[in-house]
Amino acid sequence: AQSVTQLDSHVSVSEGTPVLLRCNYSSSYSPSLFWYVQHPNKGLQLLLKYTSAATLVKGINGFEAEFKKSETSFHLTKPSAHMSDAAEYFCVVSEGGTYKYIFGTGTRLKVLA
Amino acid sequence: NAGVTQTPKFQVLKTGQSMTLQCAQDMNHEYMSWYRQDPGMGLRLIHYSVGAGITDQGEVPNGYNVSRSTTEDFPLRLLSAAPSQTSVYFCASRGQGGSITLHFGNGTRLTVT
């Protein structure tokens, strides 16, 4: 069965410092993995996705994530946080060829000036 | 491009009232779905459809009905609103085949008093 765990419900960083949002997953088959961002009162926007090609995935706004099968992880990183990065981030797993998506419970990122 | 459009943005209902949340997409996507978002619980699937005339239940279907008469529209009906249905509702769609990214609307914030 699929599952996804976001290890931190809240993360605070100072502007200009690195961001790390952690995600572990469980999947019986080859998973597809996604990170979505949700700004206040908005829908979810795709940041990046992994679909069994390169394990290091680059997304929008300077974010990237690395698929590590041995660790069943898909952590999201950014070298330098901006104030505009303050939002909620969701890690999502889907098994290839299915319409089933499992969402993590979200990590709220706060960026301090 | 409009993408996925949800109406209304906000709604307040009294217990027992019924209403329909509207969702329309202009990307010719076969798959459409409804999620509810509650604090600390991520997004949970209510109902989904893989094409006109085909619908199925998700994780939390009780108290909701759907139908899919056209490719573009996928309305969600609350038959008799309850306070437990206070939530933010998101409609999402995706294309067929290798296109696996979910595209989200901006959500409907529903309060049931």
mmCIF file of all heavy atoms in Angstrom, chain A residues 32 34 36 38 41-46 49-51 88 90 92 94 97-101 103-106, chain B residues 10 30-31 35 37 40-43 48 50 90 94-96 98-107 109:
data_model
loop_
_atom_site.group_PDB
_atom_site.id
_atom_site.type_symbol
_atom_site.label_atom_id
_atom_site.label_comp_id
_atom_site.label_asym_id
_atom_site.label_seq_id
_atom_site.Cartn_x
_atom_site.Cartn_y
_atom_site.Cartn_z
ATOM 1 N N SER A 32 5.541 7.415 -8.725
ATOM 2 C CA SER A 32 5.759 8.780 -9.173
ATOM 3 C C SER A 32 5.614 9.660 -7.940
ATOM 4 O O SER A 32 4.748 9.408 -7.103
ATOM 5 C CB SER A 32 4.738 9.186 -10.239
ATOM 6 O OG SER A 32 4.887 8.405 -11.400
ATOM 7 N N PHE A 34 5.668 13.744 -6.295
ATOM 8 C CA PHE A 34 5.425 15.141 -6.623
ATOM 9 C C PHE A 34 5.620 15.999 -5.379
ATOM 10 O O PHE A 34 5.410 15.546 -4.251
ATOM 11 C CB PHE A 34 3.973 15.362 -7.083
ATOM 12 C CG PHE A 34 3.505 14.443 -8.173
ATOM 13 C CD1 PHE A 34 3.112 13.149 -7.885
ATOM 14 C CD2 PHE A 34 3.421 14.891 -9.480
ATOM 15 C CE1 PHE A 34 2.655 12.298 -8.885
ATOM 16 C CE2 PHE A 34 2.969 14.052 -10.490
ATOM 17 C CZ PHE A 34 2.589 12.750 -10.182
ATOM 18 N N TYR A 36 3.962 19.742 -4.351
ATOM 19 C CA TYR A 36 3.074 20.848 -4.697
ATOM 20 C C TYR A 36 3.227 21.943 -3.647
ATOM 21 O O TYR A 36 3.490 21.660 -2.470
ATOM 22 C CB TYR A 36 1.617 20.401 -4.709
ATOM 23 C CG TYR A 36 1.181 19.656 -5.948
ATOM 24 C CD1 TYR A 36 1.388 18.290 -6.072
ATOM 25 C CD2 TYR A 36 0.551 20.326 -7.000
ATOM 26 C CE1 TYR A 36 0.981 17.610 -7.212
ATOM 27 C CE2 TYR A 36 0.127 19.652 -8.137
ATOM 28 C CZ TYR A 36 0.349 18.304 -8.237
ATOM 29 O OH TYR A 36 -0.061 17.629 -9.372
ATOM 30 N N GLN A 38 1.203 25.387 -1.948
ATOM 31 C CA GLN A 38 -0.085 26.065 -1.823
ATOM 32 C C GLN A 38 0.135 27.383 -1.084
ATOM 33 O O GLN A 38 0.445 27.389 0.105
ATOM 34 C CB GLN A 38 -1.089 25.199 -1.070
ATOM 35 C CG GLN A 38 -2.472 25.833 -0.973
ATOM 36 C CD GLN A 38 -3.438 24.992 -0.164
ATOM 37 O OE1 GLN A 38 -3.056 24.260 0.743
ATOM 38 N NE2 GLN A 38 -4.719 25.091 -0.500
ATOM 39 N N ASN A 41 -5.010 30.799 0.422
ATOM 40 C CA ASN A 41 -6.247 30.958 -0.346
ATOM 41 C C ASN A 41 -6.088 30.669 -1.836
ATOM 42 O O ASN A 41 -6.816 31.239 -2.673
ATOM 43 C CB ASN A 41 -6.810 32.372 -0.155
ATOM 44 C CG ASN A 41 -7.116 32.654 1.295
ATOM 45 O OD1 ASN A 41 -7.712 31.838 1.983
ATOM 46 N ND2 ASN A 41 -6.664 33.804 1.775
ATOM 47 N N LYS A 42 -5.135 29.807 -2.149
ATOM 48 C CA LYS A 42 -4.904 29.429 -3.545
ATOM 49 C C LYS A 42 -4.987 27.920 -3.694
ATOM 50 O O LYS A 42 -4.992 27.183 -2.696
ATOM 51 C CB LYS A 42 -3.515 29.902 -4.001
ATOM 52 C CG LYS A 42 -3.346 31.410 -4.052
ATOM 53 C CD LYS A 42 -4.163 32.026 -5.162
ATOM 54 C CE LYS A 42 -3.848 33.497 -5.329
ATOM 55 N NZ LYS A 42 -4.721 34.119 -6.359
ATOM 56 N N GLY A 43 -5.038 27.478 -4.933
ATOM 57 C CA GLY A 43 -4.973 26.050 -5.212
ATOM 58 C C GLY A 43 -3.545 25.546 -5.127
ATOM 59 O O GLY A 43 -2.624 26.284 -4.794
ATOM 60 N N LEU A 44 -3.369 24.275 -5.413
ATOM 61 C CA LEU A 44 -2.049 23.664 -5.359
ATOM 62 C C LEU A 44 -1.365 23.789 -6.715
ATOM 63 O O LEU A 44 -1.976 23.514 -7.755
ATOM 64 C CB LEU A 44 -2.165 22.179 -4.979
ATOM 65 C CG LEU A 44 -2.326 21.874 -3.496
ATOM 66 C CD1 LEU A 44 -3.720 22.242 -3.011
ATOM 67 C CD2 LEU A 44 -2.030 20.414 -3.217
ATOM 68 N N GLN A 45 -0.105 24.179 -6.669
ATOM 69 C CA GLN A 45 0.683 24.362 -7.881
ATOM 70 C C GLN A 45 1.834 23.371 -7.875
ATOM 71 O O GLN A 45 2.531 23.216 -6.867
ATOM 72 C CB GLN A 45 1.234 25.792 -7.931
ATOM 73 C CG GLN A 45 2.095 26.087 -9.146
ATOM 74 C CD GLN A 45 2.741 27.460 -9.091
ATOM 75 O OE1 GLN A 45 2.792 28.095 -8.037
ATOM 76 N NE2 GLN A 45 3.249 27.919 -10.212
ATOM 77 N N LEU A 46 2.068 22.717 -9.008
ATOM 78 C CA LEU A 46 3.147 21.750 -9.098
ATOM 79 C C LEU A 46 4.508 22.439 -9.039
ATOM 80 O O LEU A 46 4.776 23.371 -9.806
ATOM 81 C CB LEU A 46 3.038 20.969 -10.406
ATOM 82 C CG LEU A 46 4.111 19.908 -10.627
ATOM 83 C CD1 LEU A 46 3.909 18.735 -9.660
ATOM 84 C CD2 LEU A 46 4.097 19.412 -12.073
ATOM 85 N N LYS A 49 8.249 17.011 -10.243
ATOM 86 C CA LYS A 49 7.792 15.629 -10.177
ATOM 87 C C LYS A 49 8.904 14.674 -10.590
ATOM 88 O O LYS A 49 9.780 15.027 -11.387
ATOM 89 C CB LYS A 49 6.561 15.413 -11.056
ATOM 90 C CG LYS A 49 6.825 15.586 -12.550
ATOM 91 C CD LYS A 49 5.536 15.409 -13.330
ATOM 92 C CE LYS A 49 5.772 15.675 -14.826
ATOM 93 N NZ LYS A 49 4.513 15.628 -15.603
ATOM 94 N N TYR A 50 8.871 13.489 -10.024
ATOM 95 C CA TYR A 50 9.783 12.405 -10.360
ATOM 96 C C TYR A 50 8.967 11.270 -10.980
ATOM 97 O O TYR A 50 7.967 10.837 -10.406
ATOM 98 C CB TYR A 50 10.501 11.893 -9.112
ATOM 99 C CG TYR A 50 11.183 10.564 -9.363
ATOM 100 C CD1 TYR A 50 12.402 10.506 -10.032
ATOM 101 C CD2 TYR A 50 10.592 9.376 -8.959
ATOM 102 C CE1 TYR A 50 13.013 9.291 -10.288
ATOM 103 C CE2 TYR A 50 11.183 8.161 -9.203
ATOM 104 C CZ TYR A 50 12.391 8.123 -9.878
ATOM 105 O OH TYR A 50 12.993 6.915 -10.140
ATOM 106 N N THR A 51 9.448 10.805 -12.163
ATOM 107 C CA THR A 51 8.718 9.725 -12.830
ATOM 108 C C THR A 51 9.670 8.679 -13.382
ATOM 109 O O THR A 51 9.503 8.211 -14.500
ATOM 110 C CB THR A 51 7.858 10.282 -13.969
ATOM 111 O OG1 THR A 51 8.720 10.999 -14.884
ATOM 112 C CG2 THR A 51 6.788 11.203 -13.479
ATOM 113 N N GLU A 88 2.468 26.481 2.139
ATOM 114 C CA GLU A 88 2.377 25.092 2.577
ATOM 115 C C GLU A 88 2.797 24.197 1.423
ATOM 116 O O GLU A 88 2.429 24.455 0.267
ATOM 117 C CB GLU A 88 0.970 24.755 3.049
ATOM 118 C CG GLU A 88 0.878 23.387 3.694
ATOM 119 C CD GLU A 88 -0.228 23.266 4.729
ATOM 120 O OE1 GLU A 88 -1.202 24.037 4.640
ATOM 121 O OE2 GLU A 88 -0.113 22.390 5.615
ATOM 122 N N PHE A 90 3.204 20.197 -0.099
ATOM 123 C CA PHE A 90 2.662 18.846 -0.009
ATOM 124 C C PHE A 90 3.492 17.886 -0.855
ATOM 125 O O PHE A 90 3.755 18.162 -2.037
ATOM 126 C CB PHE A 90 1.213 18.804 -0.499
ATOM 127 C CG PHE A 90 0.252 19.513 0.399
ATOM 128 C CD1 PHE A 90 -0.084 20.841 0.166
ATOM 129 C CD2 PHE A 90 -0.318 18.863 1.479
ATOM 130 C CE1 PHE A 90 -0.967 21.512 1.001
ATOM 131 C CE2 PHE A 90 -1.202 19.528 2.325
ATOM 132 C CZ PHE A 90 -1.519 20.840 2.083
ATOM 133 N N VAL A 92 3.468 14.166 -2.560
ATOM 134 C CA VAL A 92 2.407 13.307 -3.085
ATOM 135 C C VAL A 92 3.049 12.103 -3.769
ATOM 136 O O VAL A 92 4.039 12.253 -4.504
ATOM 137 C CB VAL A 92 1.533 14.069 -4.105
ATOM 138 C CG1 VAL A 92 0.378 13.192 -4.576
ATOM 139 C CG2 VAL A 92 1.018 15.372 -3.521
ATOM 140 N N SER A 94 2.197 8.610 -6.190
ATOM 141 C CA SER A 94 1.235 7.931 -7.050
ATOM 142 C C SER A 94 1.919 6.720 -7.660
ATOM 143 O O SER A 94 3.100 6.795 -8.020
ATOM 144 C CB SER A 94 0.743 8.865 -8.155
ATOM 145 O OG SER A 94 -0.156 8.202 -9.023
ATOM 146 N N GLY A 97 0.734 4.300 -13.590
ATOM 147 C CA GLY A 97 -0.390 3.736 -14.319
ATOM 148 C C GLY A 97 -1.718 3.788 -13.590
ATOM 149 O O GLY A 97 -2.721 3.320 -14.120
ATOM 150 N N THR A 98 -1.734 4.352 -12.397
ATOM 151 C CA THR A 98 -2.995 4.435 -11.659
ATOM 152 C C THR A 98 -3.440 5.886 -11.536
ATOM 153 O O THR A 98 -2.678 6.811 -11.786
ATOM 154 C CB THR A 98 -2.877 3.848 -10.249
ATOM 155 O OG1 THR A 98 -2.149 4.774 -9.408
ATOM 156 C CG2 THR A 98 -2.155 2.517 -10.266
ATOM 157 N N TYR A 99 -4.675 6.066 -11.103
ATOM 158 C CA TYR A 99 -5.197 7.395 -10.824
ATOM 159 C C TYR A 99 -5.177 7.699 -9.324
ATOM 160 O O TYR A 99 -5.802 8.636 -8.879
ATOM 161 C CB TYR A 99 -6.634 7.507 -11.333
ATOM 162 C CG TYR A 99 -6.765 7.553 -12.834
ATOM 163 C CD1 TYR A 99 -7.270 6.485 -13.557
ATOM 164 C CD2 TYR A 99 -6.392 8.698 -13.540
ATOM 165 C CE1 TYR A 99 -7.400 6.538 -14.928
ATOM 166 C CE2 TYR A 99 -6.520 8.762 -14.916
ATOM 167 C CZ TYR A 99 -7.016 7.684 -15.603
ATOM 168 O OH TYR A 99 -7.148 7.747 -16.967
ATOM 169 N N LYS A 100 -4.467 6.904 -8.569
ATOM 170 C CA LYS A 100 -4.479 7.070 -7.122
ATOM 171 C C LYS A 100 -3.317 7.951 -6.688
ATOM 172 O O LYS A 100 -2.170 7.688 -7.014
ATOM 173 C CB LYS A 100 -4.378 5.707 -6.439
ATOM 174 C CG LYS A 100 -4.592 5.754 -4.959
ATOM 175 C CD LYS A 100 -4.685 4.346 -4.381
ATOM 176 C CE LYS A 100 -4.968 4.381 -2.897
ATOM 177 N NZ LYS A 100 -5.030 3.026 -2.312
ATOM 178 N N TYR A 101 -3.648 9.016 -5.950
ATOM 179 C CA TYR A 101 -2.652 9.940 -5.419
ATOM 180 C C TYR A 101 -2.818 9.996 -3.910
ATOM 181 O O TYR A 101 -3.926 10.201 -3.414
ATOM 182 C CB TYR A 101 -2.845 11.349 -5.998
ATOM 183 C CG TYR A 101 -2.651 11.440 -7.497
ATOM 184 C CD1 TYR A 101 -3.658 11.055 -8.371
ATOM 185 C CD2 TYR A 101 -1.458 11.906 -8.038
ATOM 186 C CE1 TYR A 101 -3.478 11.122 -9.741
ATOM 187 C CE2 TYR A 101 -1.271 11.993 -9.412
ATOM 188 C CZ TYR A 101 -2.281 11.594 -10.254
ATOM 189 O OH TYR A 101 -2.097 11.674 -11.610
ATOM 190 N N PHE A 103 -1.652 12.042 -0.563
ATOM 191 C CA PHE A 103 -1.063 13.314 -0.143
ATOM 192 C C PHE A 103 -0.501 13.203 1.261
ATOM 193 O O PHE A 103 -1.123 12.591 2.138
ATOM 194 C CB PHE A 103 -2.122 14.414 -0.167
ATOM 195 C CG PHE A 103 -2.488 14.869 -1.544
ATOM 196 C CD1 PHE A 103 -3.311 14.107 -2.351
ATOM 197 C CD2 PHE A 103 -1.999 16.063 -2.054
ATOM 198 C CE1 PHE A 103 -3.645 14.513 -3.637
ATOM 199 C CE2 PHE A 103 -2.331 16.491 -3.326
ATOM 200 C CZ PHE A 103 -3.145 15.715 -4.118
ATOM 201 N N GLY A 104 0.657 13.818 1.469
ATOM 202 C CA GLY A 104 1.136 14.025 2.819
ATOM 203 C C GLY A 104 0.297 15.072 3.530
ATOM 204 O O GLY A 104 -0.552 15.731 2.917
ATOM 205 N N THR A 105 0.535 15.229 4.822
ATOM 206 C CA THR A 105 -0.272 16.153 5.624
ATOM 207 C C THR A 105 0.204 17.594 5.527
ATOM 208 O O THR A 105 -0.402 18.479 6.100
ATOM 209 C CB THR A 105 -0.300 15.714 7.093
ATOM 210 O OG1 THR A 105 1.046 15.533 7.534
ATOM 211 C CG2 THR A 105 -1.065 14.407 7.247
ATOM 212 N N GLY A 106 1.293 17.816 4.800
ATOM 213 C CA GLY A 106 1.728 19.183 4.534
ATOM 214 C C GLY A 106 2.790 19.681 5.501
ATOM 215 O O GLY A 106 2.832 19.279 6.671
ATOM 216 N N PHE B 10 -16.488 30.991 -1.992
ATOM 217 C CA PHE B 10 -16.900 30.881 -0.592
ATOM 218 C C PHE B 10 -18.388 30.551 -0.541
ATOM 219 O O PHE B 10 -19.156 30.986 -1.402
ATOM 220 C CB PHE B 10 -16.674 32.198 0.166
ATOM 221 C CG PHE B 10 -15.265 32.676 0.162
ATOM 222 C CD1 PHE B 10 -14.839 33.597 -0.779
ATOM 223 C CD2 PHE B 10 -14.354 32.210 1.096
ATOM 224 C CE1 PHE B 10 -13.531 34.041 -0.802
ATOM 225 C CE2 PHE B 10 -13.050 32.652 1.081
ATOM 226 C CZ PHE B 10 -12.630 33.568 0.131
ATOM 227 N N GLU B 30 -9.537 13.746 -19.263
ATOM 228 C CA GLU B 30 -10.500 12.687 -18.990
ATOM 229 C C GLU B 30 -10.741 12.509 -17.493
ATOM 230 O O GLU B 30 -11.835 12.231 -17.046
ATOM 231 C CB GLU B 30 -9.993 11.364 -19.592
ATOM 232 C CG GLU B 30 -9.994 11.336 -21.117
ATOM 233 C CD GLU B 30 -11.392 11.432 -21.685
ATOM 234 O OE1 GLU B 30 -12.323 10.860 -21.086
ATOM 235 O OE2 GLU B 30 -11.575 12.086 -22.730
ATOM 236 N N TYR B 31 -9.683 12.659 -16.721
ATOM 237 C CA TYR B 31 -9.774 12.391 -15.285
ATOM 238 C C TYR B 31 -10.090 13.677 -14.534
ATOM 239 O O TYR B 31 -9.408 14.699 -14.719
ATOM 240 C CB TYR B 31 -8.455 11.811 -14.777
ATOM 241 C CG TYR B 31 -8.400 11.591 -13.285
ATOM 242 C CD1 TYR B 31 -8.939 10.453 -12.705
ATOM 243 C CD2 TYR B 31 -7.796 12.529 -12.452
ATOM 244 C CE1 TYR B 31 -8.890 10.246 -11.341
ATOM 245 C CE2 TYR B 31 -7.743 12.339 -11.083
ATOM 246 C CZ TYR B 31 -8.281 11.187 -10.537
ATOM 247 O OH TYR B 31 -8.232 10.993 -9.176
ATOM 248 N N TYR B 35 -11.412 16.736 -3.951
ATOM 249 C CA TYR B 35 -10.731 16.520 -2.686
ATOM 250 C C TYR B 35 -11.290 17.495 -1.657
ATOM 251 O O TYR B 35 -11.753 18.581 -1.992
ATOM 252 C CB TYR B 35 -9.230 16.790 -2.820
ATOM 253 C CG TYR B 35 -8.458 15.794 -3.644
ATOM 254 C CD1 TYR B 35 -8.355 15.933 -5.023
ATOM 255 C CD2 TYR B 35 -7.817 14.720 -3.040
ATOM 256 C CE1 TYR B 35 -7.638 15.020 -5.776
ATOM 257 C CE2 TYR B 35 -7.089 13.801 -3.784
ATOM 258 C CZ TYR B 35 -7.007 13.958 -5.158
ATOM 259 O OH TYR B 35 -6.280 13.048 -5.894
ATOM 260 N N GLN B 37 -9.866 19.405 1.925
ATOM 261 C CA GLN B 37 -8.652 19.703 2.679
ATOM 262 C C GLN B 37 -9.034 20.157 4.073
ATOM 263 O O GLN B 37 -9.731 21.160 4.236
ATOM 264 C CB GLN B 37 -7.820 20.781 1.987
ATOM 265 C CG GLN B 37 -6.515 21.091 2.709
ATOM 266 C CD GLN B 37 -5.716 22.179 2.044
ATOM 267 O OE1 GLN B 37 -6.244 23.049 1.354
ATOM 268 N NE2 GLN B 37 -4.400 22.138 2.225
ATOM 269 N N GLY B 40 -4.168 19.652 8.998
ATOM 270 C CA GLY B 40 -3.405 18.520 9.507
ATOM 271 C C GLY B 40 -3.714 17.185 8.861
ATOM 272 O O GLY B 40 -3.180 16.156 9.282
ATOM 273 N N MET B 41 -4.587 17.198 7.821
ATOM 274 C CA MET B 41 -4.977 15.913 7.217
ATOM 275 C C MET B 41 -4.638 15.835 5.738
ATOM 276 O O MET B 41 -4.999 14.867 5.069
ATOM 277 C CB MET B 41 -6.472 15.679 7.436
ATOM 278 C CG MET B 41 -6.853 15.659 8.906
ATOM 279 S SD MET B 41 -8.554 15.182 9.170
ATOM 280 C CE MET B 41 -8.450 13.431 8.869
ATOM 281 N N GLY B 42 -3.975 16.821 5.205
ATOM 282 C CA GLY B 42 -3.673 16.775 3.780
ATOM 283 C C GLY B 42 -4.947 16.855 2.962
ATOM 284 O O GLY B 42 -5.963 17.408 3.393
ATOM 285 N N LEU B 43 -4.908 16.287 1.764
ATOM 286 C CA LEU B 43 -6.079 16.254 0.898
ATOM 287 C C LEU B 43 -6.611 14.826 0.838
ATOM 288 O O LEU B 43 -5.840 13.876 0.669
ATOM 289 C CB LEU B 43 -5.721 16.720 -0.521
ATOM 290 C CG LEU B 43 -5.770 18.221 -0.763
ATOM 291 C CD1 LEU B 43 -4.622 18.931 -0.072
ATOM 292 C CD2 LEU B 43 -5.762 18.520 -2.255
ATOM 293 N N TYR B 48 -14.157 10.566 -7.901
ATOM 294 C CA TYR B 48 -13.407 10.838 -9.104
ATOM 295 C C TYR B 48 -14.128 10.274 -10.315
ATOM 296 O O TYR B 48 -15.067 9.479 -10.192
ATOM 297 C CB TYR B 48 -11.975 10.302 -9.009
ATOM 298 C CG TYR B 48 -11.862 8.795 -8.958
ATOM 299 C CD1 TYR B 48 -11.603 8.063 -10.114
ATOM 300 C CD2 TYR B 48 -11.989 8.111 -7.759
ATOM 301 C CE1 TYR B 48 -11.485 6.688 -10.077
ATOM 302 C CE2 TYR B 48 -11.878 6.736 -7.705
ATOM 303 C CZ TYR B 48 -11.613 6.029 -8.858
ATOM 304 O OH TYR B 48 -11.495 4.664 -8.813
ATOM 305 N N VAL B 50 -13.216 9.025 -14.551
ATOM 306 C CA VAL B 50 -12.209 8.791 -15.597
ATOM 307 C C VAL B 50 -12.764 9.071 -16.990
ATOM 308 O O VAL B 50 -12.100 8.782 -17.991
ATOM 309 C CB VAL B 50 -11.612 7.375 -15.515
ATOM 310 C CG1 VAL B 50 -10.896 7.196 -14.184
ATOM 311 C CG2 VAL B 50 -12.681 6.319 -15.700
ATOM 312 N N PHE B 90 -11.336 21.079 -3.252
ATOM 313 C CA PHE B 90 -10.552 21.296 -4.463
ATOM 314 C C PHE B 90 -10.964 20.307 -5.541
ATOM 315 O O PHE B 90 -11.143 19.116 -5.284
ATOM 316 C CB PHE B 90 -9.057 21.124 -4.191
ATOM 317 C CG PHE B 90 -8.463 22.259 -3.411
ATOM 318 C CD1 PHE B 90 -8.255 22.143 -2.054
ATOM 319 C CD2 PHE B 90 -8.113 23.439 -4.044
ATOM 320 C CE1 PHE B 90 -7.710 23.195 -1.325
ATOM 321 C CE2 PHE B 90 -7.570 24.491 -3.334
ATOM 322 C CZ PHE B 90 -7.372 24.370 -1.966
ATOM 323 N N ARG B 94 -6.535 15.690 -14.705
ATOM 324 C CA ARG B 94 -5.301 15.321 -15.387
ATOM 325 C C ARG B 94 -5.635 14.705 -16.735
ATOM 326 O O ARG B 94 -6.730 14.197 -16.955
ATOM 327 C CB ARG B 94 -4.450 14.359 -14.574
ATOM 328 C CG ARG B 94 -5.103 13.039 -14.268
ATOM 329 C CD ARG B 94 -4.133 11.981 -13.814
ATOM 330 N NE ARG B 94 -3.671 11.174 -14.933
ATOM 331 C CZ ARG B 94 -3.079 10.002 -14.795
ATOM 332 N NH1 ARG B 94 -2.832 9.520 -13.594
ATOM 333 N NH2 ARG B 94 -2.694 9.325 -15.856
ATOM 334 N N GLY B 95 -4.651 14.736 -17.613
ATOM 335 C CA GLY B 95 -4.830 14.150 -18.924
ATOM 336 C C GLY B 95 -4.649 12.640 -18.871
ATOM 337 O O GLY B 95 -4.401 12.061 -17.821
ATOM 338 N N GLN B 96 -4.742 12.022 -20.026
ATOM 339 C CA GLN B 96 -4.618 10.566 -20.084
ATOM 340 C C GLN B 96 -3.207 10.167 -20.498
ATOM 341 O O GLN B 96 -2.367 11.008 -20.780
ATOM 342 C CB GLN B 96 -5.640 9.984 -21.084
ATOM 343 C CG GLN B 96 -5.574 10.598 -22.455
ATOM 344 C CD GLN B 96 -6.551 11.763 -22.599
ATOM 345 O OE1 GLN B 96 -6.593 12.656 -21.760
ATOM 346 N NE2 GLN B 96 -7.311 11.762 -23.653
ATOM 347 N N GLY B 98 0.509 9.285 -20.524
ATOM 348 C CA GLY B 98 1.697 9.630 -19.747
ATOM 349 C C GLY B 98 1.596 10.924 -18.979
ATOM 350 O O GLY B 98 2.492 11.263 -18.210
ATOM 351 N N SER B 99 0.507 11.653 -19.144
ATOM 352 C CA SER B 99 0.363 12.925 -18.442
ATOM 353 C C SER B 99 -0.186 12.662 -17.055
ATOM 354 O O SER B 99 -1.363 12.367 -16.901
ATOM 355 C CB SER B 99 -0.582 13.840 -19.222
ATOM 356 O OG SER B 99 -0.842 15.013 -18.486
ATOM 357 N N ILE B 100 0.639 12.750 -16.022
ATOM 358 C CA ILE B 100 0.216 12.340 -14.689
ATOM 359 C C ILE B 100 0.088 13.494 -13.712
ATOM 360 O O ILE B 100 -0.254 13.291 -12.553
ATOM 361 C CB ILE B 100 1.181 11.290 -14.107
ATOM 362 C CG1 ILE B 100 2.579 11.902 -13.953
ATOM 363 C CG2 ILE B 100 1.198 10.046 -14.971
ATOM 364 C CD1 ILE B 100 3.514 11.021 -13.174
ATOM 365 N N THR B 101 0.358 14.708 -14.142
ATOM 366 C CA THR B 101 0.286 15.851 -13.240
ATOM 367 C C THR B 101 -1.157 16.247 -12.980
ATOM 368 O O THR B 101 -1.943 16.420 -13.919
ATOM 369 C CB THR B 101 1.040 17.046 -13.843
ATOM 370 O OG1 THR B 101 2.402 16.691 -14.043
ATOM 371 C CG2 THR B 101 0.944 18.256 -12.930
ATOM 372 N N LEU B 102 -1.510 16.386 -11.703
ATOM 373 C CA LEU B 102 -2.828 16.903 -11.339
ATOM 374 C C LEU B 102 -2.824 18.425 -11.434
ATOM 375 O O LEU B 102 -1.898 19.079 -10.942
ATOM 376 C CB LEU B 102 -3.175 16.503 -9.909
ATOM 377 C CG LEU B 102 -3.659 15.081 -9.641
ATOM 378 C CD1 LEU B 102 -3.900 14.892 -8.153
ATOM 379 C CD2 LEU B 102 -4.912 14.761 -10.429
ATOM 380 N N HIS B 103 -3.887 18.970 -12.051
ATOM 381 C CA HIS B 103 -4.071 20.416 -12.143
ATOM 382 C C HIS B 103 -5.239 20.790 -11.240
ATOM 383 O O HIS B 103 -6.326 20.221 -11.357
ATOM 384 C CB HIS B 103 -4.382 20.820 -13.594
ATOM 385 C CG HIS B 103 -3.296 20.463 -14.546
ATOM 386 N ND1 HIS B 103 -2.368 21.387 -14.998
ATOM 387 C CD2 HIS B 103 -2.966 19.292 -15.136
ATOM 388 C CE1 HIS B 103 -1.523 20.786 -15.829
ATOM 389 N NE2 HIS B 103 -1.864 19.523 -15.927
ATOM 390 N N PHE B 104 -5.009 21.756 -10.362
ATOM 391 C CA PHE B 104 -5.994 22.098 -9.340
ATOM 392 C C PHE B 104 -6.687 23.422 -9.634
ATOM 393 O O PHE B 104 -6.083 24.361 -10.175
ATOM 394 C CB PHE B 104 -5.309 22.218 -7.980
ATOM 395 C CG PHE B 104 -4.961 20.902 -7.365
ATOM 396 C CD1 PHE B 104 -3.762 20.290 -7.670
ATOM 397 C CD2 PHE B 104 -5.831 20.274 -6.497
ATOM 398 C CE1 PHE B 104 -3.430 19.060 -7.116
ATOM 399 C CE2 PHE B 104 -5.514 19.047 -5.934
ATOM 400 C CZ PHE B 104 -4.320 18.436 -6.239
ATOM 401 N N GLY B 105 -7.957 23.486 -9.214
ATOM 402 C CA GLY B 105 -8.645 24.767 -9.131
ATOM 403 C C GLY B 105 -8.240 25.499 -7.874
ATOM 404 O O GLY B 105 -7.451 24.991 -7.061
ATOM 405 N N ASN B 106 -8.782 26.703 -7.688
ATOM 406 C CA ASN B 106 -8.406 27.528 -6.538
ATOM 407 C C ASN B 106 -9.206 27.228 -5.282
ATOM 408 O O ASN B 106 -8.973 27.858 -4.247
ATOM 409 C CB ASN B 106 -8.543 29.003 -6.889
ATOM 410 C CG ASN B 106 -7.357 29.483 -7.717
ATOM 411 O OD1 ASN B 106 -6.288 28.880 -7.694
ATOM 412 N ND2 ASN B 106 -7.554 30.557 -8.459
ATOM 413 N N GLY B 107 -10.139 26.325 -5.355
ATOM 414 C CA GLY B 107 -10.819 25.875 -4.158
ATOM 415 C C GLY B 107 -12.116 26.602 -3.851
ATOM 416 O O GLY B 107 -12.345 27.735 -4.294
ATOM 417 N N ARG B 109 -14.249 27.410 -0.300
ATOM 418 C CA ARG B 109 -14.252 27.340 1.173
ATOM 419 C C ARG B 109 -15.700 27.276 1.633
ATOM 420 O O ARG B 109 -16.450 28.233 1.452
ATOM 421 C CB ARG B 109 -13.539 28.544 1.769
ATOM 422 C CG ARG B 109 -13.382 28.476 3.280
ATOM 423 C CD ARG B 109 -12.520 29.624 3.789
ATOM 424 N NE ARG B 109 -11.158 29.549 3.296
ATOM 425 C CZ ARG B 109 -10.187 28.863 3.874
ATOM 426 N NH1 ARG B 109 -10.430 28.190 4.988
ATOM 427 N NH2 ARG B 109 -8.976 28.860 3.370
#
